[in-house]
């Protein structure tokens, strides 16, 4: 549960004063929402867990620059989103599974036939969202995957709520066309 505004300010003041318990409480209250947002962006639990840790590391390093004009979670979501974008832009290291010293990899996941349809749909949607222009992509991911209200997105982007809704409408049209075209 994300803390109410007054509670958030109290926790942030305590954290700035060196109160480790307050920092742990703020992480505890925001961790699942940050993780869920990142998981929706990348579709990989391990990657989402790594990105969540990286998000909090970056947030603590930059906490002195947080001015409180937005809610802490909004600021944290923006860090998470940027961390995700940076991660997918980095080249990935590959390790051969045929190497003699490769670790034994067990797969305890359900069978492919059980997951294929939903996973294909989620992957196609995720890919289509990531191809949107930056302003539309941020608006869609912040609202639907990050759970930020239209009013908060408008504040972050310095636009009106109506403009946010127009972005969402435009993004839906682009996504619908892209997904329809892909099915053909």
């Amino acid at each position: 549960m994300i803390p109410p505004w007054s509670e958030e300010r109290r926790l942030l003041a305590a954290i700035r004063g060196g109160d480790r318990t307050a920092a742990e409480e703020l992480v505890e209250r925001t961790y699942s929402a940050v993780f869920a947002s990142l998981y929706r962006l990348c579709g990989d639990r391990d990657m989402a867990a790594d990105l969540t840790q990286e998000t909090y590391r970056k947030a603590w390093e930059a906490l002195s620059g947080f001015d409180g004009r937005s809610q802490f979670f909004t600021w944290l979501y923006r860090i998470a989103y940027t961390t995700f974008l940076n991660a997918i832009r980095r080249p990935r290291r590959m390790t051969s599974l045929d190497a003699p010293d490769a670790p034994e990899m067990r797969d305890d996941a359900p069978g492919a036939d059980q997951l294929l349809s939903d996973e294909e749909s989620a992957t196609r949607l995720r890919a289509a969202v990531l191809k949107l222009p930056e302003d539309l992509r941020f608006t869609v991911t912040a609202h639907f995957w990050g759970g930020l209200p239209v009013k908060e997105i408008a504040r972050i982007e310095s636009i009106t709520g109506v403009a946010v809704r127009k972005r969402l409408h435009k993004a839906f049209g682009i996504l619908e066309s892209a997904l329809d075209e892909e099915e053909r």
Side-chain angles (χ1 to χ4, degrees):
M1 180 183 86
I2 297 170
W5 188 250
S6 60
E7 179 70 5
E8 183 177 279
R9 286 182 180 219
R10 182 192 65 76
L11 288 171
L12 288 169
I15 292 167
R16 286 187 175 121
D19 185 344
R20 185 175 178 90
T21 305
E24 290 170 359
E25 183 177 341
L26 193 57
V27 169
E28 187 176 304
R29 289 181 180 210
T30 58
Y31 187 92
S32 62
V34 171
F35 175 82
S37 298
L38 287 165
Y39 179 69
R40 286 185 204 107
L41 284 167
C42 69
D44 180 290
R45 287 193 175 283
D46 292 335
M47 183 180 187
D50 290 345
L51 293 173
T52 301
Q53 294 302 313
E54 181 70 9
T55 296
Y56 280 100
R57 185 191 63 74
K58 288 178 179 179
W60 295 138
E61 287 176 358
L63 189 60
S64 62
F66 176 65
D67 58 13
R69 284 186 288 161
S70 65
Q71 290 185 329
F72 178 77
F73 181 75
T74 302
W75 179 74
L76 194 58
Y77 178 81
R78 184 54 127 166
I79 293 171
Y81 179 74
T82 303
T83 301
F84 164 74
L85 290 179
N86 290 337
I88 63 171
R89 290 176 184 145
R90 278 194 300 257
R92 297 199 174 137
R93 295 185 189 149
M94 302 294 271
T95 302
S96 171
L97 295 178
D98 297 328
D101 59 342
E104 180 69 29
M105 303 298 286
R106 279 189 4 173
D107 186 7
D108 296 328
D113 57 332
Q114 295 174 341
L115 301 174
L116 192 58
S117 179
D118 287 346
E119 186 61 32
E120 281 179 5
S121 295
T123 299
R124 286 187 11 227
L125 178 60
R126 187 176 303 109
V129 168
L130 293 176
K131 288 178 185 174
L132 289 170
E134 170 60 28
D135 60 335
L136 300 179
R137 182 176 60 224
F138 176 76
T139 303
V140 167
T141 61
H143 187 63
F144 291 102
W145 296 346
L148 295 181
V150 168
K151 184 171 75 174
E152 195 65 26
I153 295 169
R155 185 179 311 142
I156 293 169
E157 295 288 290
S158 300
I159 58 176
T160 66
V162 171
V164 171
R165 286 183 184 84
K166 283 182 179 180
R167 282 185 183 180
L168 290 171
H169 182 72
K170 183 176 180 179
F172 293 155
I174 292 170
L175 291 171
E176 184 177 26
S177 295
L179 293 173
D180 285 348
E181 194 174 296
E182 195 175 296
E183 286 182 9
R184 288 183 210 154

